[in-house]
Amino acid sequence: MIEPLLHILIAAVCCWLNFIIIDMIFNLPREGGVSGATAIAEAVRRGGGDIRGGTMMGNIVSSPDASAGTLLAACGVYCFGIAGGLTATVLVYIGNRICHDPGYAGTTGCFTATGIVYGGSLIGIPPSAFIAGMVLAILTIQGVWHPWSSRLLGAVWRWRN
Amino acid sequence: MTPEFIIGLIILLTGTVITAFPQRRDYLTRLINLEIPAFGLLLIALSYDETLALLTFIAVSTLSTFVMVLVIERTGGEP
Amino acid sequence: MPGAWRRVSTVNEILLWLFGAIAVTGSVYTGISRDPFRKLIAIGLLSGAVMPLLIDRGYVDIAIALSLILPVSTIVVLQLCRKGEP
Amino acid sequence: MVQQAPRGCLEVEELIPASPDQVALWVCSLVALYGAVRVITEPDTLRKLPFLNVFSFAISGIIALMIPHPLALVAAVAYFVGSTFESNAIASVYAGGMEKGEHRE
């Protein structure tokens, strides 16, 4: 009972670092891709948050980003092995095109997450731990307390510049 | 009595009552409320393991939504 | 015939009741709320809660069809929300 | 009426998840319950959408965890993309209504 929870926590830290780094590389907090992302950023700022972090949260909501790529790559490796991760990459690219997004962030995140999950399964962390870990990681960004998480994302964005 | 059957009955009854007595007497409110009994009937058909009924029902409820949206746009949305 | 794909990992019945509770809550919230956007968000909650019940029976194909059809239906209903007052 | 095969009875050992997949499934289910509660209790309409995103993440993880079959992967991707497209459309229409001068709170 304790050991799977420990694996899930380690996987959550790995997934959190993966999707934050990929999203910061592809300049997600700079501008909203669609008008819905800008509106969500404005709503988060009205609630006492940061506008840059709110923009990144709106971008995560409005199109499949590196976070979705990480989750679906973990699902693919869990269902089908390493070929499933590459299949998930193609499907995430198609989904990005449906949502009027260039799709670089989602595809790159999915591709790197396939490598991470496969390496984790070599060490001894099962792919199901990565699925639950990604769900916990998105919970810390989108689900706990919006002002706190948007200020954290804004601080990371200013540190990057 | 599987869980799907009981939950489907509860959702079907709730959706029927809510569609009959909506909060605002508006065509749009009634149209959105009409999707809830569809889910209830979906769960009841699921508990009897009828694949063809499930697919047909999903297609028919969606098509009826399209047709009703066209009709409401033509009448202007005033009840 | 209990579905084409039999489930591998056994699921407790508690989980089915949990998702059923989420579905009932979503349906009640859809009826109570007055704003059409809130109603549509609650419909999204209801459709998400129905999905594991379909998967647990093994109907993966119907889950794919439902998850592709429902957003189209929501977007068609959103055309009416653009005109009317909230 | 088709006779149903009886589901497995609940026993005390089944309440404690044993395998790692079961633990992951329980974690995803609890996160889904939390997301649903937060969606309902949030007062602002636009700020409901991130919680709905958390909920759809948890549901697509559950879809893949329940059946380890390649078609379940397609189902998870289809559900996630559909849910994202839906919230994108809702946010866009809500924002477009606000730009035209209609006051919505």
Side-chain angles (χ1 to χ4, degrees), chain D residues 67-86:
Chain D
I67 302 181
H69 188 275
L71 211 52
L73 171 66
V74 182
V77 176
Y79 174 69
F80 190 81
V81 172
S83 160
T84 308
F85 194 41
E86 186 180 336

Side-chain angles (χ1 to χ4, degrees), chain C residues 34-53:
Chain C
R34 287 169 174 265
D35 191 6
F37 294 99
R38 295 190 181 187
K39 277 179 181 296
L40 289 174
I41 289 173
I43 288 285
L45 200 66
L46 176 57
S47 68
V50 165
M51 226 40 92
L53 297 176

Side-chain angles (χ1 to χ4, degrees), chain C residues 2 10 14-16 18 21 27 31 41 43 50 59-61 66 73-74 79 85:
Chain C
T10 57
I14 298 175
L15 282 184
L16 298 184
L18 193 145
S27 66
I41 289 173
I43 288 285
V50 165
Y59 292 110
V60 186
D61 43 359
L66 194 64
S73 166
T74 303
Q79 285 184 350
E85 74 270 10

Side-chain angles (χ1 to χ4, degrees), chain B residues 7-79:
Chain B
I7 293 161
L9 276 184
I10 295 172
I11 292 178
L12 184 61
L13 280 176
T14 312
T16 312
V17 170
I18 280 172
T19 312
F21 306 103
Q23 289 273 325
R24 302 167 65 221
R25 300 192 170 274
D26 196 2
Y27 281 149
L28 178 62
T29 308
R30 282 184 204 262
L31 180 63
I32 299 175
N33 283 344
L34 199 58
E35 291 191 15
I36 309 171
F39 279 101
L41 209 52
L42 175 80
L43 284 180
I44 291 176
L46 176 69
S47 75
Y48 286 115
D49 281 328
E50 297 279 351
T51 312
L52 201 60
L54 279 168
L55 270 179
T56 315
F57 183 67
I58 294 168
V60 166
S61 68
T62 312
L63 278 180
S64 71
T65 304
F66 292 168
V67 173
M68 283 184 205
V69 166
L70 282 180
V71 170
I72 293 174
E73 274 192 340
R74 189 156 299 174
T75 58
E78 290 298 322

Side-chain angles (χ1 to χ4, degrees), chain A residues 49-73:
Chain A
D50 188 70
I51 184 73
R52 293 293 142 218
T55 308
M56 181 166 160
M57 288 163 65
N59 271 326
I60 290 176
V61 170
S62 337
S63 67
D65 277 325
S67 52
T70 310
L71 177 78
L72 297 173

